């Protein structure tokens, strides 16, 4: 069965793989019975490693680690998971911090500094702005390989308000940013995001020092990819964020605290600029998804879910051998980091979230979307 591309901010885990016999490591006080529930999910879906971090009232109150980082090496607090598209949230936060310092205008044309060669002859490239790229309104498919000829092209005019999830849009933003500011993208992230927060266990570029700490991705049966190796020097603002549980939790807490930016810039995190309630894939289908969030959509870099007085910022990600999710409720300062090693990530992490966090309701969205397409494909 092949599912359509699902925005990784809304992805769940599907496959997991480590037997329940692994010995968990922890700090703090997780819910009673959590070990058994996580072990059952891991056993059912062939997940090899899990890292969890629970945030309450803006503090990381416990972490928990299960399974193996690689064969014979346990997952620990030092393990750096590939969290894939969770990099998009970090990239967006870099943008907001640059906006706050007057170094970036979200509505400036990027064409003065960077034009992707595939669209250089299309005059619509002049309409591209950081805002459109960071809210999935550029009018691109996800990556050039999603096109029949492998060449990037507009599938609609940029700025129409139609949601078209696109990793290449974030990559274009990264290329534009480093040319505009004369600094490599990974250095910008380190300077404006990681270092101020103290995220020593996070990297936006693959480097040799990480090799012994990175979780080795595993396939649908829980077997490690034998050819896995870091692609040293490679970076992608839309993908391949390597980070520990504690450091991503620190990132979420910093965002909750304001991220050192003005109130006006903070509002850009919560202002939905690409609505999803009526989207053909992610929409609420006339009430069939219950509850339907309000607001519900994409802001600058974040997925926004609203339920009454509760507003949730969230982003997730998955690649061929891992999946992840991190979120925080802006009203309570409560949140969760769920980092998982396992290829079939479509079902597991909502199950883990549901077992830990009674406050959240946004996994209803994931369960509904996944069930809709599973049913659709099998019908």
């Amino acid at each position: 069965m092949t599912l359509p591309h699902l925005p990784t901010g809304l992805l769940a885990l599907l496959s997991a793989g480590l037997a329940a016999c692994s010995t968990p490591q922890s700090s703090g006080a997780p819910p009673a019975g959590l070990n058994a529930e996580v072990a059952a999910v891991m056993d059912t879906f062939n997940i090899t490693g899990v890292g969890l971090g629970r945030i309450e009232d803006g503090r990381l109150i416990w972490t928990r680690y299960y399974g193996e980082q690689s064969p014979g090496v346990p997952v620990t607090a030092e393990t750096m998971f590939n969290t894939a598209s969770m990099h998009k949230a970090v990239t967006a936060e870099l943008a907001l911090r640059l906006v706050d310092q007057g170094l970036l205008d979200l509505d400036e044309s990027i064409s003065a500094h960077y034009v992707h060669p595939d669209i250089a002859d299309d005059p619509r490239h002049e309409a591209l702005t950081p805002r459109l790229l960071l809210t999935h309104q550029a009018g691109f498919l996800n990556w050039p390989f999603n096109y029949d000829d492998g060449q990037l092209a507009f599938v609609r005019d940029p700025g129409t308000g139609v949601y078209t999830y696109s990793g290449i849009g974030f990559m274009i933003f990264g290329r534009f940013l480093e040319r505009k500011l004369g600094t490599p993208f990974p250095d910008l992230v380190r300077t404006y995001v990681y270092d101020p927060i103290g995220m020593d266990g996070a990297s936006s570029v693959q480097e040799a020092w990480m090799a012994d700490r990175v979780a080795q991705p595993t396939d649908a049966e829980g077997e490690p990819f034998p050819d896995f190796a870091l692609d040293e020097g490679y970076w992608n603002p839309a993908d391949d964020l390597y980070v520990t549980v504690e450091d991503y939790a620190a990132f979420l807490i910093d965002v909750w605290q304001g991220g050192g930016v003005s109130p006006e810039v903070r509002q850009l995190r919560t202002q939905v600029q690409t609505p999803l309630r009526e989207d053909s894939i992610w929409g609420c289908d006339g009430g069939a998804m219950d509850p339907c969030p309000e607001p519900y959509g994409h802001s600058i870099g974040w997925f926004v879910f609203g339920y009454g007085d509760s507003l949730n910022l969230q982003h997730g990600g998955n690649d061929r051998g891992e999946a992840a999710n991190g979120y925080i409720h802006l009203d309570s300062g409560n949140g969760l980091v769920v980092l998982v090693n396992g290829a079939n990530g479509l079902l597991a992490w909502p199950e883990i979230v549901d077992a830990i966090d009674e406050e959240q309701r946004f996994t209803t969205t994931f369960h509904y979307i996944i069930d809709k397409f599973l049913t659709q494909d099998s019908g």
Side-chain angles (χ1 to χ4, degrees):
M1 174 181 60
T2 301
L3 293 177
H5 172 73
L6 302 181
T8 50
L10 299 180
L11 281 174
L13 290 171
L14 178 60
S15 190
L18 185 68
C21 62
S22 63
T23 302
Q25 301 182 15
S26 69
S27 62
L34 179 63
N35 292 349
E37 293 191 62
V38 173
V41 171
M42 294 178 73
D43 185 58
T44 299
F45 298 108
N46 300 323
I47 290 173
T48 53
V50 172
L52 304 176
R54 176 62 168 155
I55 301 165
E56 291 188 5
D57 193 25
R59 296 182 301 112
L60 181 62
I61 64 165
W62 58 258
T63 59
R64 200 126 181 112
Y65 303 98
Y66 302 85
E68 293 186 326
Q69 171 182 301
S70 57
V73 179
V75 174
T76 71
E78 295 298 307
T79 299
M80 299 174 70
F81 289 81
N82 182 353
T83 60
S85 285
M86 283 165 67
H87 208 174
K88 292 183 176 73
V90 170
T91 298
E93 282 301 313
L94 168 63
L96 294 182
R97 293 161 205 233
L98 293 172
V99 167
D100 190 70
Q101 296 197 22
L103 298 174
L104 176 68
D105 183 340
L106 289 175
D107 297 311
E108 65 180 292
S109 172
I110 70 165
S111 61
H113 299 282
Y114 180 75
V115 178
H116 191 286
D118 289 356
I119 58 171
D121 294 332
D122 190 322
R124 288 178 290 182
H125 76 259
E126 297 180 1
L128 293 176
T129 66
R131 186 186 303 272
L132 297 182
L133 295 168
L134 296 173
T135 58
H136 302 286
Q137 294 188 67
F140 301 134
L141 299 182
N142 195 18
W143 295 105
F145 64 73
N146 296 118
Y147 296 81
D148 290 341
D149 61 1
Q151 299 294 303
L152 179 66
F154 291 99
V155 296
R156 59 176 52 86
D157 292 342
T160 60
V162 177
Y163 180 78
T164 309
Y165 188 83
S166 179
I168 190 62
F170 276 69
M171 177 62 89
I172 289 172
F173 172 74
R175 295 296 185 191
F176 150 76
L177 202 60
E178 64 177 9
R179 293 192 182 184
K180 175 182 173 68
L181 300 180
T183 305
F185 176 82
D187 293 348
L188 291 169
V189 180
R190 177 64 60 190
T191 298
Y192 290 97
V193 181
Y194 298 153
D195 284 350
I197 299 173
M199 296 172 64
D200 295 329
S203 185
S204 292
V205 60
Q206 298 179 42
E207 297 180 306
W209 66 266
M210 302 159 46
D212 292 337
R213 297 178 59 180
V214 167
Q216 185 172 357
T218 54
D219 65 19
E221 287 71 45
E223 296 298 323
F225 292 125
D227 59 346
F228 171 73
L230 291 175
D231 185 4
E232 293 184 22
Y234 176 77
W235 57 268
N236 184 339
D239 196 13
D240 292 338
L241 166 65
Y242 290 87
V243 68
T244 64
V245 168
E246 292 186 11
D247 272 8
Y248 200 83
F251 171 69
L252 291 174
I253 292 167
D254 186 73
V255 168
W256 176 74
Q257 292 173 334
V261 300
S262 69
E264 293 76 19
V265 174
R266 291 181 202 176
Q267 291 179 0
L268 294 170
R269 299 183 181 117
T270 58
Q271 292 173 351
V272 170
Q273 306 204 16
T274 315
L276 290 175
R277 286 175 62 90
E278 306 299 326
D279 186 77
S280 60
I281 294 176
W282 299 105
C284 297
D285 293 343
M289 182 197 297
D290 184 26
C292 181
E294 176 58 42
Y296 172 37
H298 210 286
S299 68
I300 301 293
W302 291 96
F303 288 93
V304 180
F305 297 81
Y307 300 96
D309 294 333
S310 176
L311 196 63
N312 175 297
L313 293 185
Q314 178 266 347
H315 214 298
N318 86 314
D319 278 333
R320 63 174 186 155
E322 59 270 328
N325 197 283
Y327 66 90
I328 194 154
H329 298 281
L330 295 185
D331 54 322
S332 65
N334 296 350
L336 189 65
V337 178
V338 183
L339 310 185
V340 178
N341 224 36
N344 302 319
L346 206 58
L347 296 177
W349 78 248
E351 302 289 341
I352 295 173
V353 172
D354 290 342
I356 295 171
D357 189 357
E358 295 181 358
E359 178 185 14
Q360 64 74 33
R361 284 169 281 184
F362 74 92
T363 53
T364 299
T365 302
F366 301 106
H367 292 307
Y368 176 78
I369 299 296
I370 293 164
D371 288 347
K372 179 170 72 171
F373 285 110
L374 288 172
T375 302
Q376 190 179 90
D377 276 17
S378 61

